Amino acid sequence: MLKKYVPKPGRREYVTFLLLILEIILFGIFAPGFLTVDNLIRVIQNNAEIAMVSIGMTIVMLLGGIDLSVGSVMGVIAIVIGYMLQGEVNIFLILLVAIVIGIGVGFINGFLVAQFNIPDMIVTIATMNIWKAMIFALLGGKWLTGLNPSYAPITRARVLGIPVLLILIIAVYALFYYFLMYRRFGRYIYATGCNPQSANLSGINIKRIKLVSYCISGGIAAIAAMLYIARMGSVEMTIGSDLPIACIAAVTIGGTGAKGNGKRGSVIGTLAGVMFIAFLKNGIVIFGIPSLLENCFIGLLIVLSVLFDALTAGRKFGKSSKEVAA
């Protein structure tokens, strides 16, 4: 019964991939050095955190929610990791602590949203500001530098010329694609996002689904923090400040509606959205466009994506109304 809620790849995903291909072609023609191997690898490395966190954002947005705290969560966890590295703590213990913190923060968000029915935007804005204050308190206005975890070479290594980081990202996306499309909990997510009332009547524990989804988002933010430390080797005060908008843009461009749209959307579309945003940011740098305009372009893309969804939904609604009238 729940299989009807799981969408097949739709026109929206194909449109995103088409836009991605057109973007690559245009930048390849007009931006010298864009299609070099070194530049493409640099794009992958610089956007690894966005790629990871966008998975959790996809799950939350499929439920009709949003998580604006992910950037601050990643920042706090990165600082904790940094101090533990300076204290020469065992790397496996660091990984465990990071994930526990991420899941714990996600639990707080999910509990407030699910148990008390507080709007997710209000909850995550509140926790975002709490963790931002925590970042300032932990850093005291200074940077953590000279961090070099033992797993750092993974972010730069290659296998047969392919970056290990790219292989890791594709593997994680494949895992979550399988999880969402073929496992029961994944179908529960789509069912809840599509029609919460029907899902509840079908015996799905909606509160638990929301709680676990925010925990997943927090846990993935912890993994992103570890990648950030390995890639940058330092933590600054502004860490994660632009992460939420980039992830929301990637998920929205990839086909998951900003107001929750369990009827469609997938991590495959999100991956295309991530790559679109990544190449856009890279093209802005190559063309010498002021970086201050980067968020302007990303915000415009979000508006256009939502507008496209609204117009498409309006046409479908109009057709359905005519069919009913007939």
Side-chain angles (χ1 to χ4, degrees), residues 233-272:
S234 63
V235 184
E236 72 282 1
M237 289 292 299
T238 58
I239 181 173
S241 57
D242 295 331
L243 186 63
I245 188 173
C247 293
I248 292 169
V251 175
T252 305
I253 293 169
T256 303
K259 285 293 289 180
N261 198 342
K263 295 180 181 178
R264 60 172 175 74
S266 70
V267 292
I268 299 300
T270 294
L271 181 58

Side-chain angles (χ1 to χ4, degrees), residues 19-276:
L19 290 174
L20 175 60
I21 293 171
L22 289 174
E23 179 187 46
I24 293 173
I25 292 173
L26 288 174
F27 281 148
I29 294 173
F30 297 106
F34 177 78
L35 288 178
T36 62
V37 174
D38 288 340
N39 183 62
L40 295 178
I41 291 175
R42 194 180 304 115
V43 171
I44 294 168
Q45 291 173 334
N46 292 344
N47 292 275
E49 297 86 42
I50 295 175
M52 288 296 183
V53 175
S54 291
I55 296 174
M57 189 69 78
T58 300
I59 294 173
V60 170
M61 288 178 67
L62 280 171
L63 291 171
I66 199 166
D67 189 353
L68 298 174
S69 68
V70 285
S72 301
V73 172
M74 187 189 81
V76 169
I77 296 173
I79 294 169
V80 173
I81 292 172
Y83 281 127
M84 294 180 76
L85 286 171
Q86 289 182 341
E88 299 183 351
V89 178
N90 182 276
I91 192 64
F92 294 105
L93 180 58
I94 292 175
L95 175 62
L96 177 62
V97 170
I99 292 178
V100 167
I101 293 174
I103 293 175
V105 172
F107 180 89
I108 293 171
N109 287 337
F111 181 78
L112 293 173
V113 170
Q115 192 65 34
F116 298 102
N117 203 29
I118 304 174
D120 48 85
M121 186 171 291
I122 293 176
V123 169
T124 56
I125 285 177
T127 55
M128 174 187 71
N129 283 285
I130 291 171
W131 305 132
K132 277 186 176 180
M134 186 73 72
I135 289 173
F136 183 82
L138 290 172
L139 288 180
K142 300 178 181 180
W143 285 34
L144 280 180
T145 58
L147 306 176
N148 187 29
S150 58
Y151 61 89
I154 294 177
T155 61
R156 299 182 291 271
R158 304 183 192 181
V159 175
L160 300 177
I162 303 173
V164 172
L165 198 54
L166 176 60
I167 297 173
L168 174 63
I169 291 171
I170 292 175
V172 173
Y173 269 83
L175 176 65
F176 275 91
Y177 179 82
Y178 170 76
F179 169 77
L180 286 172
M181 294 296 175
Y182 299 105
R183 304 305 301 174
R184 181 177 297 178
F185 188 79
R187 294 195 292 270
Y188 285 173
I189 289 172
Y190 279 107
T192 302
C194 182
N195 193 324
Q197 291 76 23
S198 295
N200 188 47
L201 291 174
S202 298
I204 298 175
N205 189 329
I206 295 177
K207 291 182 178 181
R208 182 184 300 169
I209 297 298
K210 290 183 177 181
L211 183 64
V212 173
S213 296
Y214 278 96
C215 287
I216 292 172
S217 181
I220 294 178
I223 296 174
M226 298 198 71
L227 290 177
Y228 184 90
I229 289 288
R231 186 171 64 84
M232 300 297 293
S234 63
V235 184
E236 72 282 1
M237 289 292 299
T238 58
I239 181 173
S241 57
D242 295 331
L243 186 63
I245 188 173
C247 293
I248 292 169
V251 175
T252 305
I253 293 169
T256 303
K259 285 293 289 180
N261 198 342
K263 295 180 181 178
R264 60 172 175 74
S266 70
V267 292
I268 299 300
T270 294
L271 181 58
V274 167
M275 297 308 296
F276 186 90

